[in-house]
């Protein structure tokens, strides 16, 4: 009997999967669509590689609904344990704190209050992740959820939902300045007492902190209509203001710690006085579109609650995306007007997963940006496989130049999204994006391609 296996069943890049499948003694392989699209080899070389390994390609990008019944020639088999995924099992393993799920607990609590009940409001949460996390941290997290729920019930409005990004701060070991210059940024100021540089283009402001460590996103400054009120609100939700050393003449800034350790600053324009910037820098980059932060696996739900309750961001879609070595879980959150967007990620993969983070920069003409980068700094662009564009051009009418430029594409019913990635330096990389029409997403369908290329380059 011929023995075959689907590439989706094992981890790694497509070439790694083929080698492992052949070594195990399989006769044939089913190639999962994402594996082929993310592979740098053209389909002909993939076929030749499989043949060299003694593997037949038994099945590949087609829906069973399109096949007449008499034409079905392949049978897939799988087994699974019998699971009692009933309400009791769901309740005993998958509960979470208020504000992390989708139930209308505020409406339930309001109905209870109308009965005249004045007793305890207690949490009973069975959750496998919480059982493995720090008891102290989980208890604090639970209390924050109750305080936020109570504030919602009492219709306490958030005093200062952020209205934009003031800056993003990255640790830098000396590698990022050249990349920013290539992207069109200019160094416009230096902090008087700290090893921090201000780089600007349009309204995008990035701080490079050379205190040490590999490049990583370490702080986010948020434009706030009431920084003091925002800090006070954060403290009411058990997020204390972080202690900071500053000289008497320096601007006072207050920050709280996000669950992954990043510092969140509440700012008005006064913070720029510390850098005495030389002036605006014109260029195609217009601002910061969003930031993406990778969370420790046991802090993901805590992070979602933090950004929702402390910063007043609204949760958007929650996705699970294929990663060559596992699964990437992602949740987007944004201010009501979309002026601030944050994506929190967690990767369900092995211990060698790099906690990549990135800053997405907005522009009005990504083709112009990509042409210049391809001409002058092609080494900074993440290489996108031709297979991706073969598939893209089969599904959409897109400019063939996107392939040459390394620009990725997505669309929904509201608009279009064009984006490209730089190579990764340390833990950080940059994304340049252009939103057309009312597109509100993040090109999530292209994330598996980016992840596969990043993994291949990292190894």
């Amino acid at each position: 009997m011929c023995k075959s296996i689907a590439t989706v069943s094992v981890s790694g890049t497509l070439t790694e999967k083929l080698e492992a499948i052949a070594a195990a003694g399989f006769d044939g392989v089913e190639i999962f669509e994402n594996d082929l699209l993310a592979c740098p080899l053209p389909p002909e070389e993939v076929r030749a590689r499989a043949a060299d390994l003694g593997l037949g390609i038994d099945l590949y990008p087609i829906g069973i609904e399109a096949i007449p019944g008499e034409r079905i020639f392949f049978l897939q088999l799988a087994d699974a344990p019998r699971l009692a995924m009933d309400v009791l099992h769901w309740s005993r393993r998958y509960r979470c704190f208020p504000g992390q799920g989708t139930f209308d607990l505020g409406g339930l609590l309001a109905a209870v209050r109308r009965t005249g009940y004045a007793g305890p409001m207690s949490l009973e949460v069975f959750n496998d992740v919480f059982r493995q996390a720090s008891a102290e941290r989980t208890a604090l997290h639970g209390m924050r959820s109750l305080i936020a729920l109570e504030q919602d019930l009492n219709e306490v409005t958030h005093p200062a939902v952020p209205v934009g990004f003031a800056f993003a701060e990255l640790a830098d070991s000396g590698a990022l300045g050249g990349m920013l210059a290539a992207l069109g940024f200019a160094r416009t100021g230096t902090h008087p007492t700290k090893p921090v540089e201000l780089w600007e283009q349009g309204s995008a402001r990035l701080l490079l902190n050379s205190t040490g460590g590999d490049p990583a996103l370490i702080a986010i400054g948020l434009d706030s209509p009431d920084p003091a009120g925002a800090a006070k609100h954060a403290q009411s939700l058990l997020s204390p203001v972080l202690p900071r050393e500053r000289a008497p003449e320096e601007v006072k800034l207050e920050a709280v710690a996000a669950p992954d350790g990043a510092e969140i600053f509440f700012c008005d324009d006064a913070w720029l006085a510390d850098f005495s910037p030389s002036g605006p820098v014109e260029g195609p980059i217009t601002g910061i579109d969003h930031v993406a932060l990778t969370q420790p696996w046991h802090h993901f739900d805590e992070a979602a609650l933090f950004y929702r309750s402390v910063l007043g961001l609204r949760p958007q879609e929650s996705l699970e995306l294929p990663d060559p070595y596992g699964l990437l879980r992602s949740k987007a959150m944004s201010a009501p007007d979309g002026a601030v967007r944050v994506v929190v990620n967690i990767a369900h993969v092995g211990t060698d997963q790099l906690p990549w983070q990135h800053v997405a920069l907005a522009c009005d003409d990504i083709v112009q940006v990509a042409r210049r980068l391809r001409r002058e700094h092609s080494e900074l662009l993440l290489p996108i496989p031709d297979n991706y564009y073969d598939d893209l051009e089969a599904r959409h009418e897109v400019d063939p130049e996107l392939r040459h430029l390394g620009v990725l594409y997505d669309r929904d019913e509201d608009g279009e999204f064009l984006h490209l990635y730089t190579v990764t330096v340390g833990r950080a990389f940059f994304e340049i994006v252009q939103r057309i029409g009312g597109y509100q997403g993040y090109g999530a369908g292209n994330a598996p391609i980016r992840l596969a290329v990043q993994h291949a380059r990292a190894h």
Side-chain angles (χ1 to χ4, degrees):
M1 179 182 295
C2 177
K3 296 179 177 63
S4 181
I5 187 172
T7 58
V8 73
S9 305
V10 295
S11 70
T13 64
L14 181 55
T15 53
E16 291 172 338
K17 292 181 180 194
L18 292 177
E19 291 171 0
I21 289 168
F26 282 94
D27 304 303
V29 63
E30 304 171 41
I31 296 182
F32 186 55
E33 182 179 24
N34 277 347
D35 287 330
L36 181 61
L37 297 184
C39 181
L41 301 178
E44 296 80 6
E45 291 189 32
V46 172
R47 180 177 59 191
R49 180 63 178 149
D52 289 342
L53 293 168
L55 293 173
I57 296 178
D58 294 329
L59 193 67
Y60 174 70
I62 187 166
I64 195 170
E65 296 86 354
I67 306 175
E70 65 273 13
R71 297 285 300 278
I72 296 176
F73 63 95
F74 195 86
L75 176 64
Q76 290 182 314
L77 297 176
D79 201 354
R82 188 179 298 278
L83 297 176
M85 197 58 160
D86 54 15
V87 173
L88 180 61
H89 185 77
W90 183 23
S91 174
R92 286 293 183 265
R93 301 192 64 183
Y94 296 98
R95 298 189 194 189
C96 56
F97 288 136
Q100 296 176 331
T102 58
F103 283 92
D104 180 18
L105 296 184
L108 172 65
L109 193 56
V112 172
R113 175 180 282 186
R114 287 193 294 270
T115 69
Y117 176 77
M121 182 169 60
S122 178
L123 293 170
E124 185 185 59
V125 175
F126 301 96
N127 185 291
D128 291 348
V129 173
F130 294 170
R131 289 190 184 99
Q132 302 172 65
S134 159
E136 293 82 1
R137 184 162 186 150
T138 301
L140 189 69
H141 178 198
M143 178 57 74
R144 176 181 293 146
S145 75
L146 285 182
I147 295 172
L149 179 60
E150 191 172 44
Q151 290 179 350
D152 289 344
L153 184 65
N154 294 330
E155 299 182 345
V156 175
T157 58
H158 195 290
V161 175
V163 295
F165 287 102
F167 61 82
E169 183 173 356
L170 298 105
D172 182 32
S173 56
L176 292 180
M179 178 175 282
L180 291 185
L183 293 176
F185 283 79
R187 186 177 62 185
T188 59
T190 303
H191 197 278
T193 63
K194 299 179 175 67
V196 180
E197 299 173 343
L198 170 63
W199 291 70
E200 295 186 83
Q201 184 178 179
S203 63
R205 298 186 175 102
L206 302 175
L207 302 182
L208 298 188
N209 188 323
S210 61
T211 52
D214 289 334
L217 183 59
I218 58 174
I220 302 167
L222 298 175
D223 285 323
S224 172
D226 181 7
K232 184 177 179 180
H233 177 73
Q235 289 177 302
S236 75
L237 287 160
L238 308 181
S239 294
V241 172
L242 297 172
R244 299 184 66 247
E245 293 184 4
R246 66 181 184 90
E249 66 276 12
E250 292 175 16
V251 174
K252 181 181 180 182
L253 289 177
E254 294 181 312
V256 296
D260 68 336
E263 295 184 347
I264 308 296
F265 287 85
F266 304 112
C267 308
D268 53 24
D269 289 341
W271 71 274
L272 283 167
D274 281 345
F275 292 88
S276 301
S278 57
V281 178
E282 299 300 325
I285 301 299
T286 58
I288 296 177
D289 182 87
H290 66 273
V291 297
L293 300 167
T294 301
Q295 308 298 311
W297 67 271
H298 52 299
H299 294 168
F300 184 82
D301 290 330
E302 179 184 354
L305 179 61
F306 172 88
Y307 288 105
R308 179 177 182 175
S309 61
V310 175
L311 302 186
L313 304 185
R314 294 179 177 176
Q316 295 176 291
E317 57 184 348
S318 184
L319 301 172
E320 290 187 343
L321 304 168
D323 178 287
Y325 295 92
L327 194 67
L328 179 77
R329 185 181 174 197
S330 178
K331 179 182 284 292
M333 314 192 77
S334 70
D337 60 357
V340 172
R341 296 183 175 96
V342 175
V343 178
V344 292
N345 297 321
I346 179 174
H348 294 281
V349 296
T351 56
D352 63 344
Q353 164 68 18
L354 295 176
W356 291 314
Q357 306 164 324
H358 76 269
V359 179
L361 304 167
C363 74
D364 293 329
D365 188 351
I366 196 170
V367 171
Q368 173 194 347
V369 175
R371 284 173 178 166
R372 184 182 65 80
L373 289 175
R374 178 63 65 188
R375 182 176 63 251
E376 302 174 8
H377 303 283
S378 60
E379 74 282 358
L380 297 182
L381 296 176
L382 193 71
I384 304 301
D386 278 339
N387 293 343
Y388 167 79
Y389 293 102
D390 291 341
D391 178 72
L392 177 65
E393 291 167 3
R395 293 184 293 111
H396 300 295
E397 292 186 6
V398 296
D399 188 340
E401 189 181 13
L402 298 186
R403 179 193 296 260
H404 170 68
L405 298 177
V407 173
L408 297 95
Y409 177 86
D410 190 30
R411 67 164 39 155
D412 61 17
E413 62 273 12
D414 298 315
E416 299 172 289
F417 188 66
L418 298 167
H419 58 141
L420 62 81
Y421 300 105
T422 70
V423 296
T424 303
V425 181
R427 295 170 53 196
F429 64 95
F430 296 98
E431 180 183 11
I432 299 175
V433 310
Q434 180 182 358
R435 297 178 181 273
I436 301 173
Y439 184 95
Q440 296 298 317
Y442 301 84
N446 296 326
I449 309 300
R450 186 255 302 171
L451 288 165
V453 177
Q454 286 177 318
H455 278 298
R457 292 177 64 86
H459 293 294

